[in-house]
Amino acid sequence: MKLAVVGGGSTYTPELIDGFARLRDTLPVTELVLVDPAADRLELVGGLARRIFARQGHEGKIVTTSDVDTGVEGADAVLLQLRVGGQAARNQDETWPLECGCVGQETTGAGGLAKALRTVPVVLDIAERVRHTNPDAWIIDFTNPVGIVTRALLQAGHKAVGLCNVAIGFQRKFAKLLDVTPADVHLDHVGLNHLTWETAVRLGGPEGENVLPRLLAEHGDTIADDLRLPRLVMDRLGVVPSYYLRYFYAHDEVVREMGTKPSRAAEVAAMEKELLEMYGDPALDEKPALLAKRGGAFYSEAAVDLAASLLGGGGSPYQVVNTYNNGTLPFLADDAVVEVQAAVGANGATPLPVAPLDPLYAGLISHVSAYEDLALEAALRGGRDRVFKALLAHPLVGQYEYAEGLTDRLIAHNREHLAWA
């Protein structure tokens, strides 16, 4: 089995490598290709990746290349984990929106739109290369904003499934609080990428007992602290929102906080510099503890599980993924991309039925899904007017004066990445 990771020079890749090594019975990889244009980073990451495989007794071959066509040729699955513009572009996404009093974040709001505009054309070009060399390969997208990028891939006819680590993070956290194994925990996870709620936590599978009320009663303070939201919010809602909902439920508070400390991108950039120095140590043959602070917890387990199921292996029968709505949420178009529990197999992902949603959630999902329609249109076709409309439609912007100022800033900061600008 051959897998390719485009963006393989990421400092996060050793986490993925560790997952491939530990879970080789689930996903027996014989060749893993790391693809990245940054040759210096790729050499460091590739060297550590080989040492991790060797330490854990994995016999698979690890290859590095800067050529996408060579890297994806013959691959059974291609994982996309790109950051177009690197941490420098992310830093801009997290700072210039603050000048207009809006949240600066790389996956939602104005910053998220900027990332989508930079990313969608690049991902589609890579996907076409995959289709040319191996049209049967699955594309697993971990590239943010996952919902918009996955929709671009699906609309272009690619065999693609989107993946996020929010759900598996909750699954692991809840399993620990309940003193059960992660496999025992099934989430009623519903919404859009980075706009989701856990409406039930079931033991044993989709039809299992809902223990969410007990979880909130016994561990509500712990969960609320992790989300940085008042426990009262969860108690009133009776659900667990993802931590991205804080940008919506506490927008002004978050903006004030962001104005008083360095951006997350600045923190990660410093961390990446230290990690790359570690990766250059020929004695290092395991992922360093610092990597846990980099973000993306449990991504490796989720990626292995999804790839194994798509390639006919021993993955879990139900997984939270991003895929076409197809009537799952009846208030959205069929070709909207939702993030829900799905049955996953060799034919792809089929969403499980979702109980009717309270208007409190359905309304916000509809609002953000409409923004995503406009964001994808802007990413595919360009133009200042399309960017403005997408910003005006986003609930974290929503005022024409903000949208005008943000449009100018977005284009100014991203001109080198926007062919139409």
Side-chain angles (χ1 to χ4, degrees):
M1 180 184 296
K2 176 179 178 179
L3 297 186
V5 180
V6 181
S10 167
T11 55
Y12 189 72
T13 297
E15 174 70 32
L16 189 61
I17 300 299
D18 179 74
F20 286 143
R22 288 185 294 101
L23 302 172
R24 54 187 175 272
D25 291 340
T26 302
L27 188 68
V29 178
T30 55
E31 181 178 357
L32 180 63
V33 184
L34 306 181
V35 184
D36 202 292
D40 53 342
R41 293 170 62 106
L42 190 59
E43 181 180 356
L44 294 172
V45 173
L48 176 56
R50 294 185 186 97
R51 296 193 297 272
I52 291 173
F53 263 30
R55 175 184 175 130
Q56 299 199 29
H58 195 300
E59 297 180 355
K61 178 173 66 172
I62 294 179
V63 178
T64 59
T65 179
S66 59
D67 184 75
V68 173
D69 296 326
T70 300
V72 303
E73 185 174 5
D76 297 289
V78 177
L79 281 69
L80 304 181
Q81 52 174 41
L82 312 177
R83 186 182 298 282
V84 179
Q87 294 296 336
R90 175 182 181 175
N91 186 64
Q92 293 178 350
D93 294 343
E94 294 177 343
T95 52
W96 54 261
L98 297 174
E99 297 171 6
C100 296
C102 295
V103 161
Q105 212 277 331
E106 65 159 344
T107 65
T108 191
L113 176 61
K115 186 166 190 178
L117 297 181
R118 293 193 304 268
T119 305
V120 166
V122 175
V123 166
L124 290 179
D125 176 69
I126 293 169
E128 285 301 325
R129 293 169 182 266
V130 173
R131 178 150 54 191
H132 178 72
T133 59
N134 186 9
D136 293 327
W138 279 102
I139 295 176
I140 297 174
D141 176 56
F142 193 65
T143 298
N144 281 317
V146 168
I148 295 172
V149 173
T150 301
R151 185 170 178 182
L153 288 165
L154 291 173
Q155 286 189 351
H158 298 290
K159 292 176 60 178
V161 180
L163 182 64
C164 180
N165 68 316
V166 167
I168 193 172
F170 275 130
Q171 182 198 43
R172 298 297 199 268
K173 183 177 301 181
F174 295 162
K176 185 175 181 179
L177 293 173
L178 293 166
D179 196 23
V180 298
T181 68
D184 291 326
V185 176
H186 179 95
L187 303 177
D188 283 11
H189 176 103
V190 60
L192 310 175
N193 179 241
H194 291 185
L195 191 85
T196 52
W197 298 263
E198 311 308 322
T199 58
V201 177
R202 303 184 185 278
L203 295 183
E207 305 302 324
E209 176 193 4
N210 178 19
V211 296
L212 179 57
R214 172 160 64 93
L215 194 62
L216 291 176
E218 297 177 1
H219 304 286
D221 289 340
T222 298
I223 298 170
D225 287 346
D226 287 345
L227 298 176
R228 299 186 64 201
L229 284 171
R231 176 172 179 172
L232 181 62
V233 173
M234 290 191 309
D235 288 341
R236 285 181 172 173
L237 299 180
V239 304
V240 177
S242 87
Y243 44 86
Y244 287 94
L245 265 297
R246 186 168 184 261
Y247 298 121
F248 296 81
Y249 292 164
H251 175 275
D252 294 353
E253 178 183 348
V254 171
V255 169
R256 287 192 295 270
E257 288 176 2
M258 288 179 167
T260 62
K261 62 182 182 179
S263 68
R264 173 63 177 165
E267 295 175 353
V268 172
M271 202 179 305
E272 286 193 335
K273 182 179 180 181
E274 187 174 351
L275 284 169
L276 288 171
E277 291 175 355
M278 292 180 177
Y279 295 172
D281 180 358
L284 182 67
D285 58 3
E286 60 183 343
K287 61 180 182 180
L290 178 62
L291 189 55
K293 300 179 181 180
R294 168 68 178 76
F298 306 115
Y299 162 45
S300 58
E301 285 90 340
V304 167
D305 205 14
L306 179 55
S309 293
L310 293 173
L311 299 176
S316 304
Y318 305 115
Q319 299 171 42
V320 173
V321 297
N322 285 260
T323 191
Y324 270 150
N325 178 48
N326 283 336
T328 306
L329 301 181
F331 51 87
L332 295 184
D334 285 346
D335 66 349
V337 165
V338 295
E339 186 172 291
V340 293
Q341 283 279 5
V344 183
N347 293 322
T350 303
L352 301 183
V354 172
L357 283 180
D358 188 296
L360 179 63
Y361 316 122
L364 186 53
I365 291 171
S366 297
H367 195 162
V368 175
S369 183
Y371 150 77
E372 291 189 347
D373 290 346
L374 295 168
L376 182 55
E377 183 76 1
L380 294 174
R381 301 179 62 190
R384 187 188 189 283
D385 286 349
R386 294 188 181 93
V387 173
F388 171 80
K389 289 177 181 178
L391 288 168
L392 188 62
H394 201 294
L396 295 182
V397 180
Q399 297 182 53
Y400 75 86
E401 186 175 353
Y402 289 170
E404 285 284 1
L406 290 168
T407 298
D408 291 338
R409 287 169 172 79
L410 186 155
I411 294 172
H413 285 285
N414 291 275
R415 198 176 299 278
E416 65 180 294
H417 300 291
L418 306 176
W420 51 268

